[in-house]
Amino acid sequence: MFASPLSRRAVLAGTAAAALAVGVALPARAAQSRSYRWRNVVIGGTGFITGVLFHPSVRGLAYARTDIGGAYRWDDRRARWVPLLDHIGWDDWNLLGVEAMAVDAAHPDRVYLAVGTYSQPWAGNGAVLRSEDRGASWRRTDLGVKLGANEDGRGTGERLLVDPRDSDTLWLGTRHDGLLKSADRGTTWAPVEGFPVTPSATGQGITLLVAAGRAVYAGWGDGGSASLYRTLDGSTWGAVPGQPSGAAARVPIRAAYDRHTRELYVTYADAPGPNGQTDGSVHKLDTRDGRWTEVTPVAPDGSADTFGYGGVAVDARRPGTVVVSTNNRWAAVDTLYRSTDGGRSWRSLKDSAVLDVSETPYLKWGEKQPKFGWWIQALAVDPYDSRHVVYGTGATLYGTRDLTHWAPQIRGLEETSVRQLISPPAGPAHLISGCGDIGVLYHDRLTASPSRGMATNPVFGTATGLAQAARRPAYVVRAGWGDHGNGAWSEDGGRTWAPFAAQPALAKDAPGPIATNADGTALLWSFVHGDGTKHPAHRSADNGGTWSEVPTFPKGAMPVADPVDPTLLYAYDTDTGTLFASTDSGRTFTARATGLPSGDSQFKVVAAPGRSGDLWLSAKWNGLYRSTDGGGSFTKVESCWASYTLGFGKAADGASYPAIYQVGSTEAITAVYRSDDEAKSWVRINDDAHQWGWIGETITGDPRVYGRVYLATNGRGIQYGEPV
């Protein structure tokens, strides 16, 4: 899943030694300043589903985890997923990545999550969340170690486990800090002394924990003489005898136990995945006599057909029935293999699959037929329905009830990382969005996945730029990462597209933000490499047919068009804190205001709609600034001390200025605010139950509906709020 931490602030205290031995209650809900109803703009999935877990004792109860977008509980009555971590706030954004989850077979209301998105030094430490009411409320224990829910290995097995002997005992496998244990249901944690291997600072550490009867098995991903360890008594750990070796069994990915036959199935690969796997295998261990048997459905050929094995699930109702998935199999496309005889023979479920993606048509990716899937590591069989199988991909969660017909089982689960938002002033669509991984979407309805799917001609992966001509709203341009061109324009408000006839050479490797002037007669395209290297912008006056370099434009800056005057464009040089302006439709730029905040590439300039030269600068923790003279001078807005992103919507009744929406801080908390009086005062419009972690990318109001606001999140899709 595309994601960036975006904020490099370490947000949790602690050292990398052991876990904190203290439980921290989540804060009570703050009083809501204005009542708003918040919902997702429906896209349908779009992120990496890294784990699915059916509860073994309760029919219809299941949980899903994602790499950056939190965890969900399945509501069987409504047939949709319920988000469980939307209360995670700005300072705790790192906790929206879910490394692992666990349920207690003996206590159906208990659920546990190990959360922490990144293990780099700039990220905060991880935490364990524990709930006694199926995730309706949580208590939290901060850890002194880091987890990595959005790093390599995020699709391996659950690293969190309730001990099969004692519901009060939990195990947690970490990437870089060994095995932790709790004896009080996750309230306090301590390192397990005597675990036989030493983790590395850059490895995978423990890749899975699974119970097999009363024994606990741990997968090990850092190499060495063994990759699977176990304890039979809950205290002494040792390598499992006779286990497979070689490249195809280097990293244990997932494991599942058949309690009827007392066999443990393990999938292996030569890398943790989801990318980079070229070899893999499947083996089973008879826990009664210690005998290992290879049951690999199809071996990778080492040349054209390379892949690893990922998910594995056993049928709780039918002994010897098991399903496994391939992973990173791009040539022949990944599949699920199912066996009803303990792995002696297998059938590929892809070969007979009928895929129905009518509810989420973006899954076609511009083709006539969708793929069966990729990044398949999450896999589960319903313990109460043998023919109900689900598997996660890099973009959705497929499910079947008959092993033949498959459709996304994704309602309520939204994991898109959103980059740009436009709410047009006219036309059938109220929203156009630019997203990570799935390009640009035209939302003809907010309550259904876009009927046209993702924008094609060309198809993009991640969108880097999206702009609309203010005085000619039918004209829209977009930029992004594409295999067949990196820019396109539309004359029907973003419904259909035409690729630029040409593009600067930089566009292939460094597509950046793009702007069009007020009447759509000029384009300005900025270029930034993924490593942050900035390049000269280029201009086109013929819909991308030809381009010329603009040497006076500050390299890497985001171009901003004046919404009234087509000759005026602006750019903010974040390196020097200088506002540049062009009075000749983007041909040349000159410096205007200087001495403004500098040093952060995420400072944003936004032009107020319907007004020439009315500019607002969101300078993060440096606050909010305004210019009414086209950037000649700026005045600091005293009503807030931090502003991360800002946008405009329809004015309130009787007001002469558009409503302003921002993510920022007017007091102690970073939240979503609205102002109806030109930023003289603000009201908070989200609440403590709706925070969504890091939300500093973009926000915009609806120019046709007062009070409606669209908010981009980094893993919970597009949220939209309306007054109630």
Side-chain angles (χ1 to χ4, degrees), residues 95-113:
L95 302 184
L96 267 178
V98 183
E99 180 89 292
M101 53 190 176
V103 297
D104 188 337
H107 299 85
D109 291 339
R110 294 179 186 171
V111 59
Y112 303 90
L113 302 176

Side-chain angles (χ1 to χ4, degrees), residues 48-49 155-156 248 253-254 266-282 295-301 304-313 322-339 346-351 371-380 389-394 398 406:
F48 188 20
I49 313 299
T156 60
I253 303 298
R254 286 181 174 261
V266 186
T267 56
Y268 291 91
D270 58 346
N275 286 316
Q277 295 176 339
T278 61
D279 201 359
S281 60
V282 183
V295 291
T296 305
V298 174
D301 67 11
D305 190 18
T306 61
F307 57 92
Y309 278 90
V312 56
V322 60
V323 184
V324 300
S325 71
T326 64
N327 186 66
N328 206 47
R329 193 181 193 184
W330 296 102
V333 182
D334 282 302
T335 186
L336 304 184
Y337 288 105
R338 183 173 184 262
S339 174
W346 298 87
R347 178 171 69 94
S348 171
L349 298 183
K350 180 185 68 176
D351 297 345
K371 276 187 175 183
F372 190 75
W374 64 96
W375 284 15
I376 304 177
Q377 294 187 297
L379 173 64
V389 180
V390 297
Y391 67 94
T393 77
Y398 280 112
W406 301 82

Side-chain angles (χ1 to χ4, degrees), residues 4-330:
S4 165
L6 302 176
S7 172
R8 299 298 173 100
R9 298 164 63 192
V11 296
L12 293 178
T15 65
L20 291 177
V22 61
V24 180
L26 295 177
R29 273 183 204 177
Q32 199 170 347
S33 298
R34 288 291 185 272
S35 295
Y36 257 65
R37 180 186 181 187
W38 290 94
R39 291 171 285 180
N40 266 113
V41 175
V42 175
I43 301 174
T46 77
F48 188 20
I49 313 299
T50 51
V52 178
L53 188 61
F54 282 103
H55 199 287
S57 307
V58 181
R59 181 187 292 269
L61 178 59
Y63 297 90
R65 62 177 166 98
T66 66
D67 51 6
I68 65 170
Y72 295 79
R73 182 187 66 248
W74 178 251
D75 185 330
D76 203 42
R77 182 180 62 83
R78 296 192 300 155
R80 65 185 297 109
W81 293 98
V82 178
L84 300 179
L85 299 185
D86 283 357
H87 66 274
I88 297 294
W90 176 274
D91 287 340
D92 289 333
W93 65 266
N94 190 54
L95 302 184
L96 267 178
V98 183
E99 180 89 292
M101 53 190 176
V103 297
D104 188 337
H107 299 85
D109 291 339
R110 294 179 186 171
V111 59
Y112 303 90
L113 302 176
V115 293
T117 312
Y118 299 102
S119 64
Q120 280 81 2
W122 43 260
N125 291 335
V128 171
L129 306 182
R130 56 196 193 279
S131 174
E132 299 281 346
D133 52 15
R134 304 186 183 185
S137 63
W138 299 93
R139 291 185 67 84
R140 165 177 149 189
T141 292
D142 289 333
L143 300 174
V145 303
K146 298 179 186 295
L147 305 180
N150 194 38
E151 298 177 352
D152 285 350
R154 59 194 182 274
T156 60
E158 302 305 330
R159 293 173 163 96
L160 185 63
L161 179 71
V162 176
D163 191 275
R165 299 165 175 262
D166 178 11
S167 289
D168 288 346
T169 298
L170 274 69
W171 303 88
L172 174 61
T174 72
R175 293 168 177 264
H176 311 304
D177 297 275
L179 183 64
L180 305 181
K181 184 178 182 180
S182 171
D184 51 13
R185 299 208 305 271
T187 303
T188 60
W189 294 84
V192 173
E193 302 296 336
F195 193 70
V197 279
T198 302
S200 73
T202 58
Q204 284 294 309
I206 295 167
T207 59
L208 65 90
L209 291 168
V210 64
R214 294 170 65 83
V216 174
Y217 288 76
W220 183 252
D222 283 2
S225 59
S227 61
L228 198 66
Y229 295 83
R230 72 181 174 196
T231 178
L232 301 176
D233 58 8
S235 59
T236 304
W237 288 84
V240 179
Q243 61 187 276
S245 60
R250 183 176 299 147
V251 181
I253 303 298
R254 286 181 174 261
Y257 180 64
D258 188 332
R259 60 183 176 85
H260 298 289
T261 64
R262 296 175 63 183
E263 292 173 317
L264 181 69
Y265 292 85
V266 186
T267 56
Y268 291 91
D270 58 346
N275 286 316
Q277 295 176 339
T278 61
D279 201 359
S281 60
V282 183
H283 299 257
K284 70 176 181 179
L285 168 67
D286 189 326
T287 62
R288 295 166 298 185
D289 60 14
R291 180 170 52 91
W292 284 90
T293 304
E294 182 172 358
V295 291
T296 305
V298 174
D301 67 11
S303 56
D305 190 18
T306 61
F307 57 92
Y309 278 90
V312 56
V314 297
D315 188 335
R317 305 174 69 86
R318 297 184 179 183
T321 298
V322 60
V323 184
V324 300
S325 71
T326 64
N327 186 66
N328 206 47
R329 193 181 193 184
W330 296 102

Side-chain angles (χ1 to χ4, degrees), residues 544-568:
T546 58
W547 297 86
S548 58
E549 184 178 318
V550 184
T552 53
F553 184 90
K555 291 181 180 180
M558 177 182 293
V560 176
D562 189 276
V564 176
D565 187 344
T567 67
L568 291 177

Side-chain angles (χ1 to χ4, degrees), residues 427-710:
H430 276 262
L431 190 67
I432 308 170
S433 64
C435 305
D437 294 335
I438 57 170
V440 168
L441 299 170
Y442 177 91
H443 301 267
D444 36 19
R445 293 171 57 197
L446 301 179
T447 56
S449 186
S451 60
R452 307 181 68 86
M454 59 195 296
T456 58
N457 196 30
V459 169
F460 287 169
T462 292
T464 61
L466 180 65
Q468 184 175 46
R471 289 173 47 184
R472 184 183 158 199
Y475 187 78
V476 187
V477 292
R478 62 185 171 100
W481 295 92
D483 292 334
H484 303 286
N486 300 87
W489 58 283
S490 171
E491 287 191 308
D492 56 11
R495 287 172 56 84
T496 61
W497 298 87
F500 293 153
Q503 65 179 29
L506 285 165
K508 181 179 179 181
D509 298 316
I514 195 168
T516 177
N517 64 347
D519 62 3
T521 57
L523 306 180
L524 201 61
W525 198 352
S526 185
F527 299 101
V528 184
H529 268 95
D531 62 3
T533 304
K534 302 174 182 180
H535 302 278
H538 284 66
R539 180 183 183 274
S540 175
D542 55 6
N543 292 323
T546 58
W547 297 86
S548 58
E549 184 178 318
V550 184
T552 53
F553 184 90
K555 291 181 180 180
M558 177 182 293
V560 176
D562 189 276
V564 176
D565 187 344
T567 67
L568 291 177
L569 290 100
Y570 312 99
Y572 188 67
D573 186 349
T574 59
D575 291 337
T576 64
T578 303
L579 190 287
F580 284 77
S582 170
T583 58
D584 55 7
S585 300
R587 294 178 179 86
T588 60
F589 283 78
T590 57
R592 291 193 173 179
T594 61
L596 294 165
S598 62
D600 193 302
S601 63
Q602 294 168 36
F603 295 157
K604 301 178 180 71
V605 170
V606 183
R611 289 155 173 78
S612 183
D614 191 350
L615 306 178
W616 296 73
L617 169 63
S618 288
K620 299 181 73 172
W621 52 82
N622 292 288
L624 179 64
Y625 297 76
R626 184 185 182 186
S627 171
T628 56
D629 58 4
S633 61
F634 279 82
T635 301
K636 188 168 186 178
V637 177
E638 299 299 334
S639 59
C640 62
W641 63 268
S643 180
Y644 298 92
T645 187
L646 181 140
F648 298 90
K650 184 178 180 180
D653 289 345
S656 60
Y657 198 82
I660 308 175
Y661 300 90
Q662 76 160 334
V663 175
S665 300
T666 63
E667 296 177 356
I669 188 171
T670 299
V672 186
Y673 295 90
R674 189 189 75 228
S675 175
D676 296 330
D677 57 9
E678 295 187 57
K680 296 180 181 68
S681 63
W682 301 88
V683 293
R684 184 185 178 192
I685 59 174
N686 71 327
D687 56 64
D688 287 359
H690 300 88
Q691 300 195 78
W692 315 288
W694 196 90
I695 49 174
E697 187 65 40
T698 188
I699 190 172
T700 189
D702 193 309
R704 289 175 275 178
V705 182
Y706 167 70
R708 182 187 289 174
V709 60
Y710 305 97

